[in-house]
Amino acid sequence: MSLELIEKEIQGCTNCGLAAGRTNIVFGVGNPKAKLMLIGEGPGKDEDLQGIPFVGAAGQLLDKILEAAEIKRQDVYIANIVKCRPPNNRVPSRKEAKACLPWLWQQLETIRPQIVVLLGSTALQNLIKPDAKITQMRGQWLESKSGIKIMPTYHPAALLRDPRRKKPVWEDFQQVRDEYKKLMNES
Ligand code: SF4
C-alpha cells in the first residue's frame, strides 16, 4: 500500500482517546523511499497545529543535528509512535501507543528503511521492550529480525531540558551518519 493510501485511511481515526484533543493527525513526513527513518514520541503543540512532525523547538534541534551529520531532512522519513497530540504533551499511555502502532507498522512496511533511529524512551519501549531504559540502551545498534539496524538515542526535547545529553546524542548520530553513508555508497 502507498503512504498516500495509508494517510487517507488514518483520517478520522478514533482508535484511541487522543482523537478527542487533536487539531490534526500528524501522520509523518519525508521521503517515501527513505533508507533512514526517525521515530519520535508524539506531536506537540506546533506539530498538532501544522500536522507535521518535529516542527517545534525539538524539531529545530533535530534539524541541526541532521545537518551536522550531513543527512538531509528531505531524504529521511520522520514519524511518531502516536499520531495525535497527547494533552499537555504528556507521554502517551501504553494503550494509546498500542492502538496507534498498526499505522506505524504500515509505514515501516511501505517505506522499508534500512536504518531506524528511535528518539527517546517512548519509541524504545513501545518498539523494543516495555522496560527498556534509554540511558542504558542508547548508542548501541540493535537489529530487527528483518535486518533493520536500529539506533536508540535521546529525544531532542530531552536535550532542550538537559544540554548535557547533547554529547551522547551527537556520538550516536555520528554512528548513524557512518552507517547511512555506507548504505548510500553501496546503492
Ligand atoms: S493517536 Fe493514533 S490510534 Fe489514536 S486516534 Fe490518533 S491516529 Fe488513531
Side-chain angles (χ1 to χ4, degrees):
M1 201 190 289
S2 71
L3 281 179
E4 287 85 2
L5 272 179
I6 305 166
E7 194 168 1
K8 240 186 211 173
E9 271 191 14
I10 201 175
Q11 297 311 313
C13 174
T14 52
N15 292 350
C16 84
L18 296 180
R22 73 176 174 230
T23 311
N24 285 297
I25 288 179
V26 182
F27 178 65
V29 72
N31 178 359
K33 291 186 175 147
K35 291 192 189 311
L36 169 61
M37 185 159 164
L38 300 130
I39 302 175
E41 180 176 295
K45 187 173 171 233
D46 297 309
E47 290 77 15
D48 174 61
L49 289 173
Q50 295 184 42
I52 304 167
F54 285 93
V55 289
Q60 284 159 24
L61 184 53
L62 180 65
D63 288 351
K64 280 186 191 160
I65 298 168
L66 288 174
E67 203 183 324
E70 298 164 43
I71 297 169
K72 292 193 185 105
R73 180 167 162 136
Q74 67 266 29
D75 288 347
V76 305
Y77 194 87
I78 306 177
N80 283 311
I81 293 289
V82 292
K83 316 297 192 205
C84 302
R85 184 189 181 199
N88 302 314
N89 296 348
R90 67 159 167 77
V91 175
S93 69
R94 184 83 186 128
K95 200 174 152 201
E96 290 157 353
K98 258 182 132 175
C100 208
L101 275 177
W103 297 117
L104 184 63
W105 296 134
Q106 288 192 57
Q107 287 173 307
L108 280 160
E109 274 168 29
T110 306
I111 299 163
R112 294 185 172 274
Q114 285 163 275
I115 304 171
V116 168
V117 177
L118 302 180
L119 298 166
S121 58
T122 299
L124 176 69
Q125 291 175 347
N126 284 292
L127 294 177
I128 305 295
K129 215 167 40 162
D131 60 351
K133 295 219 171 0
I134 192 73
T135 44
Q136 289 168 9
M137 292 187 73
R138 61 139 282 272
Q140 298 164 57
W141 287 110
L142 307 169
E143 198 164 324
S144 76
K145 282 186 198 132
S146 55
I148 301 172
K149 295 200 81 175
I150 302 165
M151 173 61 74
T153 192
Y154 294 122
H155 192 285
L159 308 193
L160 293 172
R161 290 191 297 267
D162 181 1
R164 284 171 304 178
R165 295 189 173 190
K166 279 186 183 170
K167 190 170 175 273
V169 166
W170 176 233
E171 286 166 5
D172 301 347
F173 266 91
Q174 281 175 301
Q175 292 197 63
V176 172
R177 174 198 63 195
D178 294 348
E179 202 56 40
Y180 182 65
K181 270 193 179 167
K182 235 196 277 171
L183 268 182
M184 296 310 276
N185 290 337
E186 281 167 9
S187 61

